[in-house]
C-alpha cells in the first residue's frame, strides 16, 4: 500500500486514535519478567493514580472503582506511600520535572486520607531535586471539594487544580451516569480555590459524547465564560476500552472541536488549532509540567498506584490492575509495582511518543531523533513529504504541526509514523 492509500483506509476508522499500542497483544513479544529500570534517566516526572470515584461515568476509560470506605482508602495510600518511598530512596539523584496526582478522583478521599496523600507528595520531594519549571497538579471534581482540601492543596505547594466538567447539559450528563454541580456552586469553588492560593484552575470538557449538539456546546462555552478558569482542556472521546459506544463521525468531531476552539479563542484563551489545552497564559501552554515535559519533550515518567503507566528510555511498564475490571481485590496487595514490563525497541518507543504528542497536535523532530538515535527527518522522509505536500502537517522549526485539514483525521495522520510492522494490521 502507498502512504496515501494507507492514510485513506484509516481516515474514518476510530481505532486510529491517540492510543498506542493499538492492542496489547502487539507488545507481547517484548514482555519481560522484571521491573522497568530508570538508570539512564537524569530527569523524570511522577504520576500518582487514585482510582476512586463517586460514580462511574460510562464514557470513562480510566482504571477506577466506586470509592471504598476510609479504611480501604487508607490501605491504598499506605501501599502507595511504600511504593513511592522505595522508588525515591533508590533514585535520589533524579531531577523531577513534574508531579501529577490524578485518577479517578483524588479529591474524593476523606479529609484525613487526602491529608495523607499530600504528605506522600511532600515527602517524595524531600528526596529529589525539582526543575525550575516544576508545576505539580492535582485532579478532582467540584462535588468532592471542601475548603479544607483546597487549603491543604495550596499549603502543600500545589498551585494547579484540574476539575472535570465534561458537559454542562443535564441530559448528556445523565445519559453517561454523571452529575455536576450547578453554575453557582462551580463559581463558588473556583473562587474559593483561588482565594486559598491555587493559582491555576483547569476545567476539562469533552466532545464526541452522545447527546452533544451545537446548543449544548454553546451552553458549555457560556459556563466557561462565567467561570473564566486559567486553563481549559478539551478531550475528544476515546473509545479503545469502552467498546460498543457510539462515536460520531470524524466530521462531527471536527465540527464540535472547531466550535469549542473558536469560542475559547474569542474569550481570550490561547492555543493553536488542533491543541487540546487552552490557556490565558501563553507560556504554560495550558498544561501541568508533568504533561508539558511528557508530551512536548519526551521526558520519562514513573507512575505509582494501581494500573499506572511508566515510561523510561528502556520501555514501558504498567502497574498491577491495567485493563482489569475488578480492581477492588487488588487494594490489599503489598505493592502495586510489578505488573507488566515491556522492553521496547527504539521504533516502538518512538511510536509511543508519537501517540502521546498527537494529543497536542504536534511532533518534535528533535525529540523523535533522540529516541531513535537517527535523524528523524531522514528516517520518516517519505511520510513527512506526503503529509506536508497534502497539507495535513506543516513544519515550523523542528516541529511538525497538524493543520486544519489534518486535524479532521489526526489519528490516521499520526499513525503513519507508527512502526512499519503495524501498518497493515487493521
Ligand atoms: C482522569 S479523568 C479525572 C477527572 C475527574 N475524575 C472528573 O471526572 O472530573 C480526567 C479527564 O479525562 C477525560 N476523560 C474521561 N474519560 C475519557 C474518554 N473516554 N475519552 C477522553 N477523555 C476522557 C475527562 O475530561 C476527565 O475530566
Ligand atoms: S470521568 Fe472522572 S469521575 Fe467519571 S469515572 Fe472517570 S475518573 Fe471517575
Amino acid at each position: 500500500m502507498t502512504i496515501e492509500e494507507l492514510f485513506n483506509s484509516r481516515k474514518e476508522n476510530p481505532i486510529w486514535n491517540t492510543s498506542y499500542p493499538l492492542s496489547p497483544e502487539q507488545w507481547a513479544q517484548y514482555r519481560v519478567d522484571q521491573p522497568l529500570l530508570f538508570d539512564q534517566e537524569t530527569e523524570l516526572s511522577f504520576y500518582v493514580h487514585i482510582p476512586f470515584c463517586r460514580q462511574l461515568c460510562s464514557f470513562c476509560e480510566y482504571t477506577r472503582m466506586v470509592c471504598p470506605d476510609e479504611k480501604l482508602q487508607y490501605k491504598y495510600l499506605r501501599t502507595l506511600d511504600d511504593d513511592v518511598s522505595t522508588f525515591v530512596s533508590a533514585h535520589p539523584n533524579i531531577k523531577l520535572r513534574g508531579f501529577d496526582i490524578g485518577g479517578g478522583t483524588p479529591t474524593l478521599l476523606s479529609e484525613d486520607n487526602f491529608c495523607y496523600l499530600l504528605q506522600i507528595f511532600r515527602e517524595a520531594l524531600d528526596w529529589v531535586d525539582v526543575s525550575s519549571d516544576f508545576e505539580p497538579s492535582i485532579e478532582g471534581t467540584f462535588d468532592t471539594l471542601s475548603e479544607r482540601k483546597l487549603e491543604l492543596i495550596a499549603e502543600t505547594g500545589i498551585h494547579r487544580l484540574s476539575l472535570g466538567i465534561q458537559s454542562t447539559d443535564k441530559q448528556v450528563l445523565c445519559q453517561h451516569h454523571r452529575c455536576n454541580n450547578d453554575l453557582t456552586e462551580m463559581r463558588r469553588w473556583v473562587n474559593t480555590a483561588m482565594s486559598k492560593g491555587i493559582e491555576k484552575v483547569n476545567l476539562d470538557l469533552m466532545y464526541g459524547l452522545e447527546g452533544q449538539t451545537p446548543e449544548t456546546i454553546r451552553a458549555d462555552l457560556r459556563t466557561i465564560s462565567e467561570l473564566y478558569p486559567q486553563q481549559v482542556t478539551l478531550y475528544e472521546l476515546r473509545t479503545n476500552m469502552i467498546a460498543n459506544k457510539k462515536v460520531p463521525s470524524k466530521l462531527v468531531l471536527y465540527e464540535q472541536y472547531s466550535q469549542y476552539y473558536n469560542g475559547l479563542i474569542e474569550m481570550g484563551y490561547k492555543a493553536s488549532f488542533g491543541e487540546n489545552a487552552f490557556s490565558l497564559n501563553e507560556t504554560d501552554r495550558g498544561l501541568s509540567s508533568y504533561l508539558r515535559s511528557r508530551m512536548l519533550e519526551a521526558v520519562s515518567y514513573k507512575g505509582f498506584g494501581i494500573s499506572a503507566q511508566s515510561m523510561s528510555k528502556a520501555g514501558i511498564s504498567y502497574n498491577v490492575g491495567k485493563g482489569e475490571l475488578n480492581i477492588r481485590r487488588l487494594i490489599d496487595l503489598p505493592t502495586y509495582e510489578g505488573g507488566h514490563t515491556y522492553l521496547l525497541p527504539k521504533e516502538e518507543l518512538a511510536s509511543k511518543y508519537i501517540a502521546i504528542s498527537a494529543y497536542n497536535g504536534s511532533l518534535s523532530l528533535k525529540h523523535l531523533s533522540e529516541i531513535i538515535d537517527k535523524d528523524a527527518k531522514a528516517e520518516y522522509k517519505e511520510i513527512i513529504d506526503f503529509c506536508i505536500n497534502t497539507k495535513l502537517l506543516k513544519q515550523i522549526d523542528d516541529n511538525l504541526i497538524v493543520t486544519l485539514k489534518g486535524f479532521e483525521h489526526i489519528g490516521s495522520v499520526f499513525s503513519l509514523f507508527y512502526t512499519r510492522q503495524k501498518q497493515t494490521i487493521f
Side-chain angles (χ1 to χ4, degrees):
M1 255 198 223
T2 63
I3 293 175
E4 185 174 6
E5 285 165 347
L6 213 51
F7 172 70
N8 286 329
S9 69
R10 292 176 185 170
K11 272 182 4 184
E12 292 304 327
N13 188 342
I15 192 87
W16 299 100
N17 57 32
T18 51
S19 293
Y20 195 85
L22 303 167
S23 80
E25 296 81 56
Q26 293 177 336
W27 276 357
Q29 59 183 308
Y30 306 121
R31 186 151 163 207
V32 293
D33 251 347
Q34 63 192 62
L36 185 66
L37 296 180
F38 289 84
D39 49 354
Q40 299 173 60
E41 268 70 27
T42 49
E43 292 190 325
L44 205 55
S45 287
F46 284 172
Y47 171 76
V48 163
H49 189 67
I50 306 295
F52 307 139
C53 294
R54 179 160 280 163
Q55 78 291 322
L56 302 185
C57 313
S58 58
F59 53 73
C60 183
E61 62 165 15
Y62 294 93
T63 305
R64 79 280 195 250
M65 58 177 279
V66 172
C67 193
D69 61 29
E70 287 196 35
K71 251 169 80 183
L72 266 189
Q73 294 175 23
Y74 180 70
K75 170 71 196 65
Y76 185 76
L77 295 174
R78 278 292 305 270
T79 305
L80 202 60
D81 193 0
D82 287 346
D83 287 349
V84 174
S85 308
T86 307
F87 188 87
V88 286
S89 53
H91 300 83
N93 296 325
I94 53 158
K95 180 173 273 187
L96 216 52
R97 293 290 304 276
F99 196 138
D100 274 12
I101 304 174
T105 312
T107 49
L108 179 57
L109 293 168
S110 68
E111 278 184 0
D112 285 348
N113 282 318
F114 192 67
C115 192
Y116 183 20
L117 171 67
L118 297 180
Q119 184 190 322
I120 297 172
F121 166 83
R122 265 196 318 270
E123 286 177 4
L125 295 195
D126 289 342
W127 283 89
V128 292
D129 270 348
V130 299
S131 62
S132 55
D133 63 348
F134 182 71
E135 193 177 34
S137 180
I138 188 161
E139 280 178 356
T141 54
F142 283 97
D143 62 344
T144 57
L145 296 177
S146 73
E147 298 233 354
R148 182 70 195 126
K149 287 178 192 173
L150 292 175
E151 271 159 23
L152 285 167
I153 293 171
E155 282 165 15
T156 310
I158 300 178
H159 298 300
R160 183 180 186 273
L161 170 66
S162 178
L163 301 168
I165 292 186
Q166 327 312 351
S167 165
T168 54
D169 186 80
K170 283 212 165 57
Q171 224 172 324
V172 172
L173 293 169
C174 258
Q175 225 169 312
H176 296 91
H177 308 136
R178 186 180 170 97
C179 308
N180 275 351
N181 285 145
D182 62 22
L183 180 60
T184 316
E185 276 291 287
M186 288 199 271
R187 192 187 290 121
R188 183 168 80 81
W189 283 125
V190 170
N191 291 341
T192 310
M194 292 194 212
S195 70
K196 302 279 181 206
I198 297 170
E199 291 153 14
K200 290 179 186 172
V201 173
N202 169 73
L203 298 180
D204 288 340
L205 291 171
M206 289 178 69
Y207 62 102
L209 293 172
E210 222 179 322
Q212 276 183 308
T213 62
E215 287 70 42
T216 68
I217 294 174
R218 262 197 294 280
D220 297 344
L221 287 166
R222 272 197 302 275
T223 298
I224 295 294
S225 74
E226 294 270 349
L227 299 175
Y228 211 48
Q230 283 73 19
Q231 303 178 351
V232 177
T233 309
L234 202 49
Y235 287 95
E236 178 178 312
L237 175 71
R238 296 210 315 188
T239 53
N240 52 332
M241 284 168 64
I242 43 177
N244 303 324
K245 279 274 145 202
K246 271 199 210 150
V247 189
S249 70
K250 298 278 182 191
L251 182 62
V252 169
L253 289 171
Y254 179 80
E255 286 170 352
Q256 292 186 338
Y257 173 87
S258 303
Q259 189 181 348
Y260 278 120
Y261 178 85
N262 293 330
L264 290 168
I265 296 297
E266 257 174 51
M267 280 179 231
Y269 289 95
K270 312 278 185 287
S272 302
F273 191 88
E275 282 180 343
N276 75 339
F278 297 75
S279 178
L280 294 175
N281 170 358
E282 242 166 314
T283 54
D284 65 21
R285 308 278 303 260
L287 301 162
S288 67
S289 64
Y290 167 85
L291 286 172
R292 270 200 305 267
S293 61
R294 178 179 160 174
M295 291 203 303
L296 309 177
E297 298 173 51
V299 170
S300 300
Y301 49 92
K302 166 74 188 148
F304 299 97
I306 284 179
S307 83
Q309 186 189 115
S310 303
M311 181 170 182
S312 80
K313 293 192 167 71
I316 296 271
S317 71
Y318 298 95
N319 282 353
V320 294
K322 173 75 182 162
E324 286 194 37
L325 291 178
N326 179 8
I327 55 166
R328 193 186 179 95
R329 63 187 181 79
L330 303 176
I331 293 181
D332 274 330
L333 289 173
T335 174
Y336 304 132
E337 304 286 316
H340 299 167
T341 298
Y342 301 91
L343 294 184
L344 298 173
K346 290 182 170 35
E347 311 78 64
E348 287 293 333
L349 282 167
S351 295
K352 181 74 190 170
Y353 166 64
I354 289 159
I356 293 170
S357 314
Y359 251 119
N360 205 47
S362 68
L363 184 58
S364 156
L365 289 171
K366 173 172 168 269
H367 295 305
L368 197 52
S369 302
E370 283 162 10
I371 295 171
I372 58 175
D373 216 2
K374 289 180 199 163
D375 176 13
K377 218 171 162 187
E379 190 66 15
Y380 296 95
K381 185 177 181 328
E382 230 187 316
I383 300 161
I384 296 173
D385 286 350
F386 167 77
C387 291
I388 289 181
N389 292 338
T390 50
K391 299 199 167 30
L392 297 168
L393 293 174
K394 60 186 173 199
Q395 186 170 351
I396 298 181
D397 303 326
D398 242 351
N399 295 312
L400 294 175
I401 297 170
V402 75
T403 59
L404 247 87
K405 181 179 173 203
F407 184 67
E408 193 178 339
H409 303 291
I410 185 162
S412 51
V413 173
F414 278 79
S415 76
L416 296 172
F417 292 81
Y418 293 167
T419 50
R420 273 285 156 186
Q421 75 258 32
K422 301 288 158 60
Q423 299 290 5
T424 50
I425 281 179
F426 294 97

